């Protein structure tokens, strides 16, 4: 029995190898693009889920004190980021959540007390270090405190402490 010469198939095998490697590389590029798109959608979903949860909490808390207009019924925290040292969105949401938790004791207090005890309210979170937020520490500073009707708004900044 005669075996055909391998030289006849060499060119075809090289073409098949290139075709096969092109398929592998193309599928890898497609999967990386798909995974990147999925990551973006997942982050947006988590952000919207947190926002929905916060809005539901605010709504339930406002319903408990809706008849008491002279009392603080809603506490908002606005984190202003520094353009030189930006904070990632997940850390921002964790910092805001931690500050809101610390300020929760102010809910239901008379609005008139804000004017009297403004410095006390500021000192609750001013220069406070929030430890271990995604393996980092942040120092929170209060820029301003605003009261609009029954809503208490804290404008804060956060940055990583300087370590020696």
């Amino acid at each position: 029995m005669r075996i055909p010469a391998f030289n006849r198939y060499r060119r075809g095998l090289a073409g098949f190898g290139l075709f096969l490697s092109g398929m592998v590389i193309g599928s890898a590029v497609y999967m990386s693009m798909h995974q990147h798109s999925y990551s973006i959608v997942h982050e947006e979903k988590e952000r919207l889920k947190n926002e929905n949860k916060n809005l539901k909490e605010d709504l339930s808390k406002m319903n408990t004190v809706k008849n008491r207009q002279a009392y603080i019924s809603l506490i908002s925290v606005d984190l202003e980021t520094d353009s030189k040292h930006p904070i990632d969105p997940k850390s921002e949401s964790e910092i805001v959540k931690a500050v809101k938790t610390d300020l929760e004791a102010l809910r239901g207090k008379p609005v008139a007390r804000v004017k009297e005890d403004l410095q006390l309210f500021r000192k609750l979170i001013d220069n406070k270090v929030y430890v271990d937020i995604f393996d980092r520490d942040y120092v929170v500073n209060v820029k301003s405190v605003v009261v609009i009707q029954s809503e208490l708004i804290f404008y804060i900044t956060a940055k990583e402490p300087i370590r020696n």
Side-chain angles (χ1 to χ4, degrees), residues 108-126:
K109 302 285 186 217
V111 174
R113 281 197 58 197
V114 173
K115 183 178 177 185
E116 297 168 4
D117 300 330
L118 182 61
Q119 292 304 320
L120 174 68
F121 291 158
R122 287 179 70 114
K123 286 182 181 178
L124 279 174
I125 59 170
D126 201 22

Side-chain angles (χ1 to χ4, degrees), residues 65-80:
V65 293
K66 69 180 176 183
N67 295 331
R68 303 182 334 191
Q69 289 298 320
Y71 293 91
I72 297 172
S73 62
L74 182 62
I75 298 172
S76 298
V77 177
D78 186 17
L79 179 63
E80 298 175 2

Side-chain angles (χ1 to χ4, degrees), residues 50 54 74 81 100 163:
N50 286 337
N54 290 338
L74 182 62
T81 58
K100 276 187 171 184
R163 298 177 189 222

Side-chain angles (χ1 to χ4, degrees), residues 40-54 89-90 93:
I40 290 172
V41 168
H42 180 70
E43 286 176 5
E44 183 70 13
K45 179 190 145 233
E46 288 298 317
R47 185 188 66 78
L48 290 173
K49 187 192 283 185
N50 286 337
E51 184 179 344
N52 188 21
K53 179 183 167 212
N54 290 338
K90 288 190 176 200
S93 67

Side-chain angles (χ1 to χ4, degrees), residues 84-138:
K84 294 178 186 175
H85 307 288
I87 300 173
D88 61 294
K90 288 190 176 200
S91 295
E92 280 184 19
S93 67
E94 287 297 317
I95 291 169
V96 168
K97 187 191 300 183
V99 170
K100 276 187 171 184
T101 303
D102 288 345
L103 295 173
E104 195 60 37
L106 301 178
R107 189 178 307 278
K109 302 285 186 217
V111 174
R113 281 197 58 197
V114 173
K115 183 178 177 185
E116 297 168 4
D117 300 330
L118 182 61
Q119 292 304 320
L120 174 68
F121 291 158
R122 287 179 70 114
K123 286 182 181 178
L124 279 174
I125 59 170
D126 201 22
N127 292 325
K128 185 172 181 182
V129 177
Y130 288 91
V131 181
D132 200 28
I133 296 178
F134 296 111
D135 298 328
R136 292 190 176 173
D137 300 341
Y138 293 98

